[in-house]
Amino acid sequence: MNGDVTQIFFIVVSGIILMLLMCSFIVVMVLLHRQQQFRNRQKMDQLKGEYERTILGVEKEIQEQTLSYIGQELHDNLGQILSLTKLTLSRPDPENFSEGKKLINQAIKEVRSLSKSLNLDWVKEVQLSQFIQGELQKIENSGFSKTLFETNLEHLELEQDKKVVLIRIIQECLNNTMKHAEPELITILLREENNTLTLILKDDGKGFHVAEDHSGMGLHNLKSRIETIGGTLNISSIIGIGTEIKLLLPIE
């Protein structure tokens, strides 16, 4: 009889211990799950904050770049037109008066064009291919080097934030090329295949050692920015041959 009681007591105690262990296991799993959820929320908040900082920083840089361009245009282009207008109108004859009116109309057109660039509304309206063509045309007009643009895209719909980041990356790459590469030809290829946008910027300039990154944190910043919008960036360069920057961005 005592043996039966002992056996029942052992079974009950074992059951209680097993139940406590199962409860403890469940509690631990719940706590671990909540910790994982908390870490995931922290990571998502961090990624969101990094994304927002990147977009704000890029927008600020584009505005600064635009203001610099406007200042240069006011000094070199519009200033020259107005000076020529003043010189033309200083000689009062019908032919000069007609030419002066043309110059004034040209100056008004230039002012209107520049005023549209003072905010980022143009980013919403411009196609990426149009922007690239415009930037390359500026380089050619300056006499810096020859340029070439090839694309298989007639129309590309991009989210504005992604377009802003791509525009800034293109500006930064072209600026670095003009500062350091001394090329004779700058080439940009823009393609879309299998829901992936491919952008390749090439030059036949001096080249550099990619591992050393002569532009300080420039390459790191470029890679960080494209990664923020879900893309990747690869850079290859050969001394005396040139540099190629390849961006891949998944798109819908």
Side-chain angles (χ1 to χ4, degrees):
M1 186 68 178
N2 288 336
D4 292 340
V5 173
T6 301
Q7 188 176 4
I8 293 172
F9 177 77
F10 177 75
I11 292 173
V12 172
V13 171
S14 298
I16 293 172
I17 293 173
L18 182 60
M19 185 177 65
L20 291 173
L21 288 174
M22 290 181 64
C23 290
S24 300
F25 176 76
I26 293 172
V27 170
V28 169
M29 291 301 295
V30 169
L31 291 175
L32 289 175
H33 179 67
R34 288 184 176 178
Q35 286 180 346
Q36 185 63 40
Q37 284 184 320
F38 178 72
R39 284 195 292 267
N40 288 340
R41 282 197 298 269
Q42 281 187 318
K43 187 175 181 180
M44 290 298 296
D45 290 341
Q46 182 181 357
L47 290 173
K48 182 179 178 182
E50 183 180 349
Y51 175 79
E52 290 175 349
R53 286 193 297 271
T54 297
I55 298 301
L56 289 174
V58 166
E59 288 179 348
K60 181 180 178 182
E61 289 174 2
I62 290 179
Q63 287 173 335
E64 290 174 351
Q65 182 90 356
T66 301
L67 288 173
S68 175
Y69 169 71
I70 289 174
Q72 184 177 347
E73 285 294 295
L74 287 172
H75 181 271
D76 298 341
N77 186 22
L78 190 59
Q80 184 178 4
I81 293 174
L82 292 175
S83 296
L84 188 58
T85 302
K86 180 181 178 181
L87 183 64
T88 301
L89 294 177
S90 65
R91 297 190 299 271
D93 59 69
E95 184 177 346
N96 286 340
F97 182 73
S98 177
E99 183 64 26
K101 286 179 64 178
K102 291 180 181 178
L103 289 171
I104 290 174
N105 288 331
Q106 184 180 350
I108 292 172
K109 183 179 178 181
E110 291 291 333
V111 170
R112 287 175 176 170
S113 176
L114 291 174
S115 67
K116 292 180 180 179
S117 302
L118 288 174
N119 54 48
L120 289 179
D121 287 344
W122 60 270
V123 174
K124 300 177 185 177
E125 301 171 2
V126 71
Q127 282 288 311
L128 190 60
S129 57
Q130 292 175 332
F131 169 77
I132 293 172
Q133 288 174 325
E135 292 298 293
L136 293 181
Q137 190 61 53
K138 291 178 189 176
I139 293 174
E140 287 229 11
N141 291 343
S142 71
F144 178 80
S145 73
K146 295 292 184 182
T147 64
L148 177 64
F149 177 54
E150 296 180 0
T151 182
N152 67 351
L153 295 173
E154 294 183 2
H155 186 74
L156 174 66
E157 288 294 337
L158 276 177
E159 297 174 23
Q160 184 177 342
D161 289 346
K162 290 184 178 181
K163 192 194 298 186
V164 167
V165 172
L166 284 176
I167 283 175
R168 184 54 193 151
I169 288 176
I170 293 168
Q171 286 180 330
E172 199 165 346
C173 289
L174 291 176
N175 285 341
N176 287 338
T177 299
M178 296 178 71
K179 286 180 181 177
H180 307 293
E182 299 180 7
E184 293 184 4
L185 176 66
I186 298 173
T187 302
I188 296 183
L189 308 176
L190 180 66
R191 300 170 183 152
E192 189 274 323
E193 294 178 352
N194 301 322
N195 293 328
T196 299
L197 183 68
T198 302
L199 179 66
I200 300 174
L201 300 94
K202 299 191 294 185
D203 68 71
D204 59 356
K206 296 190 300 184
F208 67 99
H209 295 292
V210 176
E212 297 178 6
D213 184 7
H214 292 303
S215 59
M217 294 295 288
L219 302 186
H220 173 76
N221 288 340
L222 290 176
K223 290 182 178 180
S224 176
R225 285 178 172 177
I226 194 67
E227 287 171 0
T228 300
I229 58 173
T232 59
L233 182 145
N234 297 301
I235 300 176
S236 59
S237 186
I238 302 175
I239 299 295
I241 301 296
T243 301
E244 177 178 298
I245 302 173
K246 186 176 184 179
L247 297 92
L248 299 174
L249 179 66
I251 57 175
E252 296 181 0

